[in-house]
Amino acid sequence: MKAHRLPQSILRRMAAYTEFQRKVWLCCAQIPRGSTMTYGEVARKIGHPGAARAVGTALSKNPFAPTVPCHRVVAGSGKPGGYSGPGGIRKKLQLLKEEKASLRG
DNA sequence: CGTATGGCTCCTC
DNA sequence: CGAGGAGCCATAC
């Protein structure tokens, strides 16, 4: 649990949010570049199986996007899912394209 | 403290 | 394979 390379400033700001959100964001930060993960996978990984929807909620609140690579989290049906960061879903798809990542991981 | 709201998922049809 | 409906979960109000 230390693969993330987030700035100390961000890590410190994260402290103001719920543990659930931090787990979600940190989990995203741990997703290897060029890979993707489904909301359900993330939920299960952080110890909240079935909380896929809550994961989406947490990511939508992600104030560190795209510094926190929440765009590497996609829906489980091979769909892009959503993106509340700057640029919207378009930006998410663009980032994934740049990273040569496929929606299936 | 109860209701409303999502970057979801699974099961049927 | 696609559309529809019903669960599930944490957060915001």
Side-chain angles (χ1 to χ4, degrees):
Chain A
M1 267 290 219
K2 58 175 182 177
H4 63 71
R5 26 167 89 40
L6 298 177
Q8 183 62 40
S9 55
I10 287 187
L11 292 177
R12 212 158 49 124
R13 290 170 195 279
M14 275 190 178
Y17 299 79
T18 72
E19 186 177 358
F20 181 80
Q21 289 176 176
R22 283 183 307 224
K23 281 185 176 180
V24 172
W25 297 334
L26 289 176
C27 191
C28 295
Q30 286 156 35
I31 300 177
R33 183 182 180 285
S35 291
T36 58
M37 229 181 211
T38 71
Y39 297 91
E41 285 276 79
V42 173
R44 179 155 50 88
K45 177 140 189 170
I46 65 178
H48 290 242
R53 209 164 195 180
V55 169
T57 304
L59 290 178
S60 70
K61 298 285 190 64
N62 172 27
F64 314 111
T67 305
V68 171
C70 52
H71 60 267
R72 289 179 192 160
V73 183
V74 298
S77 318
K79 295 211 144 189
Y83 192 74
S84 300
I89 187 63
R90 294 273 302 180
K91 183 68 177 180
K92 177 174 182 174
L93 291 173
Q94 185 187 319
L95 287 170
L96 289 176
K97 183 182 178 184
E98 288 181 17
E99 296 184 357
K100 298 292 196 300
S102 61
L103 296 181
R104 279 306 186 77

